[in-house]
Amino acid sequence: MKHLVKQAVAGDADAFLELMEKNSLAMYKVARGILGNDEDVADAVQDTILACFEKIHTLKKPEYFKTWMIRILINECNKILRHYRTVNIREDMPEIPRQDMSIAELEFKEMLNLVEEKYRIVLILYYVEGFKIADIAEILDLNENTVKSRLTRARGRIQEAYFPEKTKAASAVRTKGMII
């Protein structure tokens, strides 16, 4: 992959296209986790590919290509979200349900909807894309401890939603221990 990145930086369009093909699923998953509908995801991915093509020569270290690309994608997604906040038409656009989703995909999407966006993106980058905490911190321009906290809080919120009795029991034990 590093070799492809070097070729793309040198101006090889075929190498750039191959890089985009290899990373298209990762871009889709991240954008889908942030935006929620396929039309916006397609726009964000398309804008990301264009921005990467125009700015590939600015990439200093080829080993950070994917981190660099995902950062651009997140910025494009945030741009789309800002547009919706200003125009305020999101409520008028019904999402068309996909018929070909597996039960696991539906459950995963439902689980992601249980947490706020700042936690959702960290979960996607960590569990779906396999980024390390340090890489996520760099992509999101956050402190590593903030990323760790967001992962912990997201896990806690998901556990509360899926296992409320377990969460209540653990809370009671903590409270009881504090009283004694």
Side-chain angles (χ1 to χ4, degrees), residues 97-130:
R98 288 179 39 195
Q99 298 298 320
D100 59 344
M101 271 196 253
S102 70
I103 292 174
E105 280 182 281
L106 288 170
E107 288 177 349
F108 184 71
K109 287 176 81 173
E110 183 180 302
M111 179 197 69
L112 287 176
N113 288 330
L114 294 173
V115 296
E116 298 169 47
E117 181 185 338
K118 66 182 182 180
Y119 301 124
R120 190 177 319 133
I121 188 66
V122 172
L123 286 171
I124 291 169
L125 291 174
Y126 188 77
Y127 288 108
V128 178
E129 292 307 314

PDB file of all heavy atoms in Angstrom, residues 97-130:
ATOM      1  N   PRO A  97     -35.403   2.651   3.406  1.00  0.00           N
ATOM      2  CA  PRO A  97     -34.789   1.479   4.034  1.00  0.00           C
ATOM      3  C   PRO A  97     -34.211   0.531   2.986  1.00  0.00           C
ATOM      4  O   PRO A  97     -34.795   0.333   1.928  1.00  0.00           O
ATOM      5  CB  PRO A  97     -35.950   0.821   4.790  1.00  0.00           C
ATOM      6  CG  PRO A  97     -37.178   1.349   4.166  1.00  0.00           C
ATOM      7  CD  PRO A  97     -36.837   2.678   3.553  1.00  0.00           C
ATOM      8  N   ARG A  98     -33.058  -0.030   3.285  1.00  0.00           N
ATOM      9  CA  ARG A  98     -32.435  -1.006   2.395  1.00  0.00           C
ATOM     10  C   ARG A  98     -32.984  -2.383   2.737  1.00  0.00           C
ATOM     11  O   ARG A  98     -33.117  -2.745   3.887  1.00  0.00           O
ATOM     12  CB  ARG A  98     -30.928  -0.995   2.581  1.00  0.00           C
ATOM     13  CG  ARG A  98     -30.283   0.232   2.019  1.00  0.00           C
ATOM     14  CD  ARG A  98     -28.809   0.255   2.222  1.00  0.00           C
ATOM     15  NE  ARG A  98     -28.202  -1.052   2.039  1.00  0.00           N
ATOM     16  CZ  ARG A  98     -26.979  -1.363   2.436  1.00  0.00           C
ATOM     17  NH1 ARG A  98     -26.250  -0.463   3.037  1.00  0.00           N
ATOM     18  NH2 ARG A  98     -26.488  -2.560   2.242  1.00  0.00           N
ATOM     19  N   GLN A  99     -33.263  -3.147   1.716  1.00  0.00           N
ATOM     20  CA  GLN A  99     -33.843  -4.471   1.911  1.00  0.00           C
ATOM     21  C   GLN A  99     -32.785  -5.554   2.116  1.00  0.00           C
ATOM     22  O   GLN A  99     -33.076  -6.605   2.632  1.00  0.00           O
ATOM     23  CB  GLN A  99     -34.698  -4.845   0.692  1.00  0.00           C
ATOM     24  CG  GLN A  99     -35.870  -3.906   0.475  1.00  0.00           C
ATOM     25  CD  GLN A  99     -36.845  -3.923   1.631  1.00  0.00           C
ATOM     26  OE1 GLN A  99     -37.131  -4.963   2.194  1.00  0.00           O
ATOM     27  NE2 GLN A  99     -37.348  -2.758   2.008  1.00  0.00           N
ATOM     28  N   ASP A 100     -31.544  -5.285   1.702  1.00  0.00           N
ATOM     29  CA  ASP A 100     -30.546  -6.332   1.703  1.00  0.00           C
ATOM     30  C   ASP A 100     -29.626  -6.329   2.916  1.00  0.00           C
ATOM     31  O   ASP A 100     -28.576  -6.933   2.894  1.00  0.00           O
ATOM     32  CB  ASP A 100     -29.712  -6.253   0.423  1.00  0.00           C
ATOM     33  CG  ASP A 100     -29.009  -4.919   0.273  1.00  0.00           C
ATOM     34  OD1 ASP A 100     -29.388  -3.962   0.969  1.00  0.00           O
ATOM     35  OD2 ASP A 100     -28.078  -4.843  -0.551  1.00  0.00           O
ATOM     36  N   MET A 101     -30.016  -5.671   3.983  1.00  0.00           N
ATOM     37  CA  MET A 101     -29.166  -5.640   5.176  1.00  0.00           C
ATOM     38  C   MET A 101     -29.351  -6.918   5.989  1.00  0.00           C
ATOM     39  O   MET A 101     -30.458  -7.412   6.137  1.00  0.00           O
ATOM     40  CB  MET A 101     -29.534  -4.447   6.064  1.00  0.00           C
ATOM     41  CG  MET A 101     -28.785  -3.211   5.723  1.00  0.00           C
ATOM     42  SD  MET A 101     -28.933  -2.052   7.054  1.00  0.00           S
ATOM     43  CE  MET A 101     -30.037  -0.900   6.319  1.00  0.00           C
ATOM     44  N   SER A 102     -28.260  -7.403   6.501  1.00  0.00           N
ATOM     45  CA  SER A 102     -28.330  -8.579   7.357  1.00  0.00           C
ATOM     46  C   SER A 102     -28.816  -8.144   8.742  1.00  0.00           C
ATOM     47  O   SER A 102     -28.788  -6.971   9.090  1.00  0.00           O
ATOM     48  CB  SER A 102     -26.965  -9.244   7.467  1.00  0.00           C
ATOM     49  OG  SER A 102     -26.099  -8.421   8.216  1.00  0.00           O
ATOM     50  N   ILE A 103     -29.208  -9.097   9.534  1.00  0.00           N
ATOM     51  CA  ILE A 103     -29.668  -8.812  10.890  1.00  0.00           C
ATOM     52  C   ILE A 103     -28.533  -8.200  11.703  1.00  0.00           C
ATOM     53  O   ILE A 103     -28.737  -7.264  12.469  1.00  0.00           O
ATOM     54  CB  ILE A 103     -30.217 -10.092  11.560  1.00  0.00           C
ATOM     55  CG1 ILE A 103     -31.504 -10.513  10.840  1.00  0.00           C
ATOM     56  CG2 ILE A 103     -30.452  -9.882  13.038  1.00  0.00           C
ATOM     57  CD1 ILE A 103     -32.085 -11.824  11.302  1.00  0.00           C
ATOM     58  N   ALA A 104     -27.320  -8.692  11.508  1.00  0.00           N
ATOM     59  CA  ALA A 104     -26.169  -8.149  12.239  1.00  0.00           C
ATOM     60  C   ALA A 104     -25.948  -6.682  11.887  1.00  0.00           C
ATOM     61  O   ALA A 104     -25.663  -5.863  12.768  1.00  0.00           O
ATOM     62  CB  ALA A 104     -24.920  -8.959  11.926  1.00  0.00           C
ATOM     63  N   GLU A 105     -26.092  -6.339  10.604  1.00  0.00           N
ATOM     64  CA  GLU A 105     -25.936  -4.940  10.189  1.00  0.00           C
ATOM     65  C   GLU A 105     -27.003  -4.061  10.837  1.00  0.00           C
ATOM     66  O   GLU A 105     -26.706  -2.966  11.309  1.00  0.00           O
ATOM     67  CB  GLU A 105     -26.046  -4.802   8.674  1.00  0.00           C
ATOM     68  CG  GLU A 105     -24.820  -5.161   7.899  1.00  0.00           C
ATOM     69  CD  GLU A 105     -25.032  -4.934   6.421  1.00  0.00           C
ATOM     70  OE1 GLU A 105     -25.675  -5.794   5.786  1.00  0.00           O
ATOM     71  OE2 GLU A 105     -24.566  -3.911   5.904  1.00  0.00           O
ATOM     72  N   LEU A 106     -28.236  -4.559  10.839  1.00  0.00           N
ATOM     73  CA  LEU A 106     -29.325  -3.789  11.442  1.00  0.00           C
ATOM     74  C   LEU A 106     -29.092  -3.585  12.937  1.00  0.00           C
ATOM     75  O   LEU A 106     -29.295  -2.487  13.462  1.00  0.00           O
ATOM     76  CB  LEU A 106     -30.668  -4.488  11.206  1.00  0.00           C
ATOM     77  CG  LEU A 106     -31.202  -4.433   9.790  1.00  0.00           C
ATOM     78  CD1 LEU A 106     -32.397  -5.362   9.644  1.00  0.00           C
ATOM     79  CD2 LEU A 106     -31.588  -3.011   9.422  1.00  0.00           C
ATOM     80  N   GLU A 107     -28.674  -4.637  13.622  1.00  0.00           N
ATOM     81  CA  GLU A 107     -28.402  -4.527  15.054  1.00  0.00           C
ATOM     82  C   GLU A 107     -27.248  -3.571  15.328  1.00  0.00           C
ATOM     83  O   GLU A 107     -27.296  -2.785  16.270  1.00  0.00           O
ATOM     84  CB  GLU A 107     -28.096  -5.903  15.646  1.00  0.00           C
ATOM     85  CG  GLU A 107     -29.308  -6.784  15.757  1.00  0.00           C
ATOM     86  CD  GLU A 107     -28.979  -8.178  16.271  1.00  0.00           C
ATOM     87  OE1 GLU A 107     -27.784  -8.542  16.359  1.00  0.00           O
ATOM     88  OE2 GLU A 107     -29.933  -8.909  16.577  1.00  0.00           O
ATOM     89  N   PHE A 108     -26.219  -3.626  14.479  1.00  0.00           N
ATOM     90  CA  PHE A 108     -25.076  -2.734  14.656  1.00  0.00           C
ATOM     91  C   PHE A 108     -25.493  -1.285  14.445  1.00  0.00           C
ATOM     92  O   PHE A 108     -25.133  -0.410  15.230  1.00  0.00           O
ATOM     93  CB  PHE A 108     -23.948  -3.121  13.685  1.00  0.00           C
ATOM     94  CG  PHE A 108     -22.700  -2.306  13.876  1.00  0.00           C
ATOM     95  CD1 PHE A 108     -21.910  -2.487  14.995  1.00  0.00           C
ATOM     96  CD2 PHE A 108     -22.326  -1.363  12.939  1.00  0.00           C
ATOM     97  CE1 PHE A 108     -20.757  -1.741  15.186  1.00  0.00           C
ATOM     98  CE2 PHE A 108     -21.183  -0.611  13.114  1.00  0.00           C
ATOM     99  CZ  PHE A 108     -20.395  -0.801  14.241  1.00  0.00           C
ATOM    100  N   LYS A 109     -26.291  -1.033  13.413  1.00  0.00           N
ATOM    101  CA  LYS A 109     -26.759   0.331  13.164  1.00  0.00           C
ATOM    102  C   LYS A 109     -27.645   0.816  14.311  1.00  0.00           C
ATOM    103  O   LYS A 109     -27.556   1.959  14.742  1.00  0.00           O
ATOM    104  CB  LYS A 109     -27.527   0.399  11.840  1.00  0.00           C
ATOM    105  CG  LYS A 109     -26.627   0.309  10.628  1.00  0.00           C
ATOM    106  CD  LYS A 109     -27.425   0.279   9.376  1.00  0.00           C
ATOM    107  CE  LYS A 109     -27.808   1.703   9.038  1.00  0.00           C
ATOM    108  NZ  LYS A 109     -28.464   1.794   7.743  1.00  0.00           N
ATOM    109  N   GLU A 110     -28.486  -0.073  14.815  1.00  0.00           N
ATOM    110  CA  GLU A 110     -29.349   0.277  15.943  1.00  0.00           C
ATOM    111  C   GLU A 110     -28.506   0.607  17.173  1.00  0.00           C
ATOM    112  O   GLU A 110     -28.765   1.581  17.877  1.00  0.00           O
ATOM    113  CB  GLU A 110     -30.287  -0.895  16.242  1.00  0.00           C
ATOM    114  CG  GLU A 110     -31.276  -0.626  17.356  1.00  0.00           C
ATOM    115  CD  GLU A 110     -32.167  -1.827  17.595  1.00  0.00           C
ATOM    116  OE1 GLU A 110     -32.849  -2.252  16.642  1.00  0.00           O
ATOM    117  OE2 GLU A 110     -32.189  -2.323  18.738  1.00  0.00           O
ATOM    118  N   MET A 111     -27.460  -0.185  17.396  1.00  0.00           N
ATOM    119  CA  MET A 111     -26.566   0.048  18.527  1.00  0.00           C
ATOM    120  C   MET A 111     -25.872   1.404  18.376  1.00  0.00           C
ATOM    121  O   MET A 111     -25.768   2.164  19.331  1.00  0.00           O
ATOM    122  CB  MET A 111     -25.525  -1.061  18.619  1.00  0.00           C
ATOM    123  CG  MET A 111     -24.543  -0.874  19.748  1.00  0.00           C
ATOM    124  SD  MET A 111     -23.065  -1.876  19.567  1.00  0.00           S
ATOM    125  CE  MET A 111     -22.286  -1.101  18.171  1.00  0.00           C
ATOM    126  N   LEU A 112     -25.404   1.726  17.177  1.00  0.00           N
ATOM    127  CA  LEU A 112     -24.729   3.005  16.955  1.00  0.00           C
ATOM    128  C   LEU A 112     -25.664   4.182  17.198  1.00  0.00           C
ATOM    129  O   LEU A 112     -25.234   5.240  17.654  1.00  0.00           O
ATOM    130  CB  LEU A 112     -24.165   3.077  15.532  1.00  0.00           C
ATOM    131  CG  LEU A 112     -22.935   2.226  15.260  1.00  0.00           C
ATOM    132  CD1 LEU A 112     -22.547   2.321  13.792  1.00  0.00           C
ATOM    133  CD2 LEU A 112     -21.774   2.620  16.143  1.00  0.00           C
ATOM    134  N   ASN A 113     -26.932   4.001  16.908  1.00  0.00           N
ATOM    135  CA  ASN A 113     -27.899   5.082  17.113  1.00  0.00           C
ATOM    136  C   ASN A 113     -28.186   5.349  18.589  1.00  0.00           C
ATOM    137  O   ASN A 113     -28.802   6.341  18.934  1.00  0.00           O
ATOM    138  CB  ASN A 113     -29.201   4.794  16.363  1.00  0.00           C
ATOM    139  CG  ASN A 113     -29.028   4.956  14.874  1.00  0.00           C
ATOM    140  OD1 ASN A 113     -28.215   5.749  14.412  1.00  0.00           O
ATOM    141  ND2 ASN A 113     -29.787   4.198  14.104  1.00  0.00           N
ATOM    142  N   LEU A 114     -27.717   4.455  19.464  1.00  0.00           N
ATOM    143  CA  LEU A 114     -27.920   4.641  20.897  1.00  0.00           C
ATOM    144  C   LEU A 114     -26.979   5.681  21.490  1.00  0.00           C
ATOM    145  O   LEU A 114     -27.205   6.163  22.592  1.00  0.00           O
ATOM    146  CB  LEU A 114     -27.715   3.311  21.639  1.00  0.00           C
ATOM    147  CG  LEU A 114     -28.714   2.213  21.342  1.00  0.00           C
ATOM    148  CD1 LEU A 114     -28.265   0.917  22.014  1.00  0.00           C
ATOM    149  CD2 LEU A 114     -30.105   2.601  21.803  1.00  0.00           C
ATOM    150  N   VAL A 115     -25.906   5.993  20.769  1.00  0.00           N
ATOM    151  CA  VAL A 115     -24.906   6.913  21.298  1.00  0.00           C
ATOM    152  C   VAL A 115     -24.830   8.175  20.449  1.00  0.00           C
ATOM    153  O   VAL A 115     -25.185   8.170  19.272  1.00  0.00           O
ATOM    154  CB  VAL A 115     -23.510   6.244  21.382  1.00  0.00           C
ATOM    155  CG1 VAL A 115     -23.518   5.090  22.357  1.00  0.00           C
ATOM    156  CG2 VAL A 115     -23.015   5.791  20.033  1.00  0.00           C
ATOM    157  N   GLU A 116     -24.336   9.243  21.065  1.00  0.00           N
ATOM    158  CA  GLU A 116     -24.166  10.504  20.360  1.00  0.00           C
ATOM    159  C   GLU A 116     -23.106  10.365  19.278  1.00  0.00           C
ATOM    160  O   GLU A 116     -22.283   9.462  19.323  1.00  0.00           O
ATOM    161  CB  GLU A 116     -23.718  11.596  21.340  1.00  0.00           C
ATOM    162  CG  GLU A 116     -24.708  11.886  22.437  1.00  0.00           C
ATOM    163  CD  GLU A 116     -24.072  12.763  23.508  1.00  0.00           C
ATOM    164  OE1 GLU A 116     -23.426  13.767  23.153  1.00  0.00           O
ATOM    165  OE2 GLU A 116     -24.220  12.419  24.687  1.00  0.00           O
ATOM    166  N   GLU A 117     -23.111  11.311  18.347  1.00  0.00           N
ATOM    167  CA  GLU A 117     -22.191  11.256  17.214  1.00  0.00           C
ATOM    168  C   GLU A 117     -20.727  11.213  17.637  1.00  0.00           C
ATOM    169  O   GLU A 117     -19.933  10.466  17.086  1.00  0.00           O
ATOM    170  CB  GLU A 117     -22.416  12.450  16.294  1.00  0.00           C
ATOM    171  CG  GLU A 117     -21.502  12.432  15.093  1.00  0.00           C
ATOM    172  CD  GLU A 117     -21.628  13.660  14.232  1.00  0.00           C
ATOM    173  OE1 GLU A 117     -22.664  14.334  14.284  1.00  0.00           O
ATOM    174  OE2 GLU A 117     -20.653  13.952  13.528  1.00  0.00           O
ATOM    175  N   LYS A 118     -20.368  11.984  18.674  1.00  0.00           N
ATOM    176  CA  LYS A 118     -18.954  12.006  19.083  1.00  0.00           C
ATOM    177  C   LYS A 118     -18.491  10.640  19.577  1.00  0.00           C
ATOM    178  O   LYS A 118     -17.320  10.297  19.465  1.00  0.00           O
ATOM    179  CB  LYS A 118     -18.699  13.087  20.128  1.00  0.00           C
ATOM    180  CG  LYS A 118     -19.368  12.881  21.464  1.00  0.00           C
ATOM    181  CD  LYS A 118     -19.063  14.044  22.382  1.00  0.00           C
ATOM    182  CE  LYS A 118     -19.663  13.853  23.747  1.00  0.00           C
ATOM    183  NZ  LYS A 118     -19.355  14.980  24.633  1.00  0.00           N
ATOM    184  N   TYR A 119     -19.400   9.843  20.115  1.00  0.00           N
ATOM    185  CA  TYR A 119     -19.056   8.495  20.537  1.00  0.00           C
ATOM    186  C   TYR A 119     -19.143   7.521  19.352  1.00  0.00           C
ATOM    187  O   TYR A 119     -18.361   6.600  19.235  1.00  0.00           O
ATOM    188  CB  TYR A 119     -19.987   8.018  21.655  1.00  0.00           C
ATOM    189  CG  TYR A 119     -19.952   8.901  22.877  1.00  0.00           C
ATOM    190  CD1 TYR A 119     -21.110   9.479  23.376  1.00  0.00           C
ATOM    191  CD2 TYR A 119     -18.756   9.164  23.534  1.00  0.00           C
ATOM    192  CE1 TYR A 119     -21.079  10.299  24.501  1.00  0.00           C
ATOM    193  CE2 TYR A 119     -18.713   9.972  24.653  1.00  0.00           C
ATOM    194  CZ  TYR A 119     -19.875  10.536  25.127  1.00  0.00           C
ATOM    195  OH  TYR A 119     -19.841  11.339  26.233  1.00  0.00           O
ATOM    196  N   ARG A 120     -20.125   7.743  18.497  1.00  0.00           N
ATOM    197  CA  ARG A 120     -20.361   6.868  17.346  1.00  0.00           C
ATOM    198  C   ARG A 120     -19.126   6.813  16.437  1.00  0.00           C
ATOM    199  O   ARG A 120     -18.696   5.743  16.035  1.00  0.00           O
ATOM    200  CB  ARG A 120     -21.576   7.373  16.564  1.00  0.00           C
ATOM    201  CG  ARG A 120     -22.063   6.449  15.502  1.00  0.00           C
ATOM    202  CD  ARG A 120     -23.313   6.965  14.800  1.00  0.00           C
ATOM    203  NE  ARG A 120     -24.265   7.552  15.702  1.00  0.00           N
ATOM    204  CZ  ARG A 120     -24.880   8.722  15.501  1.00  0.00           C
ATOM    205  NH1 ARG A 120     -24.648   9.411  14.417  1.00  0.00           N
ATOM    206  NH2 ARG A 120     -25.727   9.197  16.380  1.00  0.00           N
ATOM    207  N   ILE A 121     -18.551   7.976  16.130  1.00  0.00           N
ATOM    208  CA  ILE A 121     -17.411   8.002  15.223  1.00  0.00           C
ATOM    209  C   ILE A 121     -16.211   7.283  15.826  1.00  0.00           C
ATOM    210  O   ILE A 121     -15.487   6.572  15.130  1.00  0.00           O
ATOM    211  CB  ILE A 121     -17.067   9.442  14.778  1.00  0.00           C
ATOM    212  CG1 ILE A 121     -16.010   9.424  13.676  1.00  0.00           C
ATOM    213  CG2 ILE A 121     -16.591  10.287  15.923  1.00  0.00           C
ATOM    214  CD1 ILE A 121     -16.456   8.813  12.409  1.00  0.00           C
ATOM    215  N   VAL A 122     -16.027   7.402  17.135  1.00  0.00           N
ATOM    216  CA  VAL A 122     -14.918   6.712  17.796  1.00  0.00           C
ATOM    217  C   VAL A 122     -15.147   5.197  17.734  1.00  0.00           C
ATOM    218  O   VAL A 122     -14.214   4.434  17.460  1.00  0.00           O
ATOM    219  CB  VAL A 122     -14.755   7.196  19.258  1.00  0.00           C
ATOM    220  CG1 VAL A 122     -13.757   6.354  20.014  1.00  0.00           C
ATOM    221  CG2 VAL A 122     -14.337   8.660  19.277  1.00  0.00           C
ATOM    222  N   LEU A 123     -16.375   4.751  17.957  1.00  0.00           N
ATOM    223  CA  LEU A 123     -16.690   3.319  17.866  1.00  0.00           C
ATOM    224  C   LEU A 123     -16.425   2.777  16.464  1.00  0.00           C
ATOM    225  O   LEU A 123     -15.841   1.703  16.303  1.00  0.00           O
ATOM    226  CB  LEU A 123     -18.156   3.067  18.238  1.00  0.00           C
ATOM    227  CG  LEU A 123     -18.523   3.174  19.711  1.00  0.00           C
ATOM    228  CD1 LEU A 123     -20.038   3.112  19.884  1.00  0.00           C
ATOM    229  CD2 LEU A 123     -17.845   2.086  20.519  1.00  0.00           C
ATOM    230  N   ILE A 124     -16.836   3.515  15.461  1.00  0.00           N
ATOM    231  CA  ILE A 124     -16.651   3.065  14.079  1.00  0.00           C
ATOM    232  C   ILE A 124     -15.167   2.987  13.739  1.00  0.00           C
ATOM    233  O   ILE A 124     -14.702   1.994  13.180  1.00  0.00           O
ATOM    234  CB  ILE A 124     -17.383   3.998  13.099  1.00  0.00           C
ATOM    235  CG1 ILE A 124     -18.898   3.845  13.273  1.00  0.00           C
ATOM    236  CG2 ILE A 124     -16.986   3.709  11.657  1.00  0.00           C
ATOM    237  CD1 ILE A 124     -19.707   4.890  12.568  1.00  0.00           C
ATOM    238  N   LEU A 125     -14.437   4.031  14.087  1.00  0.00           N
ATOM    239  CA  LEU A 125     -13.008   4.034  13.767  1.00  0.00           C
ATOM    240  C   LEU A 125     -12.267   2.915  14.507  1.00  0.00           C
ATOM    241  O   LEU A 125     -11.363   2.294  13.960  1.00  0.00           O
ATOM    242  CB  LEU A 125     -12.389   5.392  14.085  1.00  0.00           C
ATOM    243  CG  LEU A 125     -12.825   6.544  13.187  1.00  0.00           C
ATOM    244  CD1 LEU A 125     -12.267   7.863  13.701  1.00  0.00           C
ATOM    245  CD2 LEU A 125     -12.418   6.311  11.741  1.00  0.00           C
ATOM    246  N   TYR A 126     -12.669   2.638  15.749  1.00  0.00           N
ATOM    247  CA  TYR A 126     -11.975   1.639  16.559  1.00  0.00           C
ATOM    248  C   TYR A 126     -12.389   0.210  16.171  1.00  0.00           C
ATOM    249  O   TYR A 126     -11.542  -0.629  15.891  1.00  0.00           O
ATOM    250  CB  TYR A 126     -12.251   1.891  18.041  1.00  0.00           C
ATOM    251  CG  TYR A 126     -11.436   1.029  18.968  1.00  0.00           C
ATOM    252  CD1 TYR A 126     -10.096   1.314  19.211  1.00  0.00           C
ATOM    253  CD2 TYR A 126     -12.006  -0.069  19.609  1.00  0.00           C
ATOM    254  CE1 TYR A 126      -9.334   0.518  20.073  1.00  0.00           C
ATOM    255  CE2 TYR A 126     -11.257  -0.859  20.463  1.00  0.00           C
ATOM    256  CZ  TYR A 126      -9.929  -0.561  20.691  1.00  0.00           C
ATOM    257  OH  TYR A 126      -9.178  -1.352  21.533  1.00  0.00           O
ATOM    258  N   TYR A 127     -13.697  -0.060  16.168  1.00  0.00           N
ATOM    259  CA  TYR A 127     -14.157  -1.428  15.968  1.00  0.00           C
ATOM    260  C   TYR A 127     -14.330  -1.815  14.506  1.00  0.00           C
ATOM    261  O   TYR A 127     -14.056  -2.950  14.127  1.00  0.00           O
ATOM    262  CB  TYR A 127     -15.465  -1.672  16.719  1.00  0.00           C
ATOM    263  CG  TYR A 127     -15.266  -1.734  18.205  1.00  0.00           C
ATOM    264  CD1 TYR A 127     -15.710  -0.709  19.026  1.00  0.00           C
ATOM    265  CD2 TYR A 127     -14.611  -2.809  18.788  1.00  0.00           C
ATOM    266  CE1 TYR A 127     -15.513  -0.762  20.399  1.00  0.00           C
ATOM    267  CE2 TYR A 127     -14.407  -2.865  20.158  1.00  0.00           C
ATOM    268  CZ  TYR A 127     -14.864  -1.841  20.956  1.00  0.00           C
ATOM    269  OH  TYR A 127     -14.655  -1.899  22.303  1.00  0.00           O
ATOM    270  N   VAL A 128     -14.807  -0.904  13.688  1.00  0.00           N
ATOM    271  CA  VAL A 128     -15.059  -1.250  12.293  1.00  0.00           C
ATOM    272  C   VAL A 128     -13.791  -1.105  11.462  1.00  0.00           C
ATOM    273  O   VAL A 128     -13.432  -1.998  10.705  1.00  0.00           O
ATOM    274  CB  VAL A 128     -16.196  -0.375  11.705  1.00  0.00           C
ATOM    275  CG1 VAL A 128     -16.424  -0.689  10.240  1.00  0.00           C
ATOM    276  CG2 VAL A 128     -17.484  -0.584  12.492  1.00  0.00           C
ATOM    277  N   GLU A 129     -13.108   0.019  11.628  1.00  0.00           N
ATOM    278  CA  GLU A 129     -11.929   0.285  10.799  1.00  0.00           C
ATOM    279  C   GLU A 129     -10.628  -0.201  11.420  1.00  0.00           C
ATOM    280  O   GLU A 129      -9.605  -0.239  10.752  1.00  0.00           O
ATOM    281  CB  GLU A 129     -11.829   1.774  10.482  1.00  0.00           C
ATOM    282  CG  GLU A 129     -12.939   2.253   9.577  1.00  0.00           C
ATOM    283  CD  GLU A 129     -13.057   1.424   8.310  1.00  0.00           C
ATOM    284  OE1 GLU A 129     -12.022   1.145   7.661  1.00  0.00           O
ATOM    285  OE2 GLU A 129     -14.175   1.030   7.961  1.00  0.00           O
ATOM    286  N   GLY A 130     -10.647  -0.525  12.700  1.00  0.00           N
ATOM    287  CA  GLY A 130      -9.472  -1.099  13.341  1.00  0.00           C
ATOM    288  C   GLY A 130      -8.350  -0.111  13.628  1.00  0.00           C
ATOM    289  O   GLY A 130      -7.199  -0.510  13.797  1.00  0.00           O
TER     290      GLY A 130
END
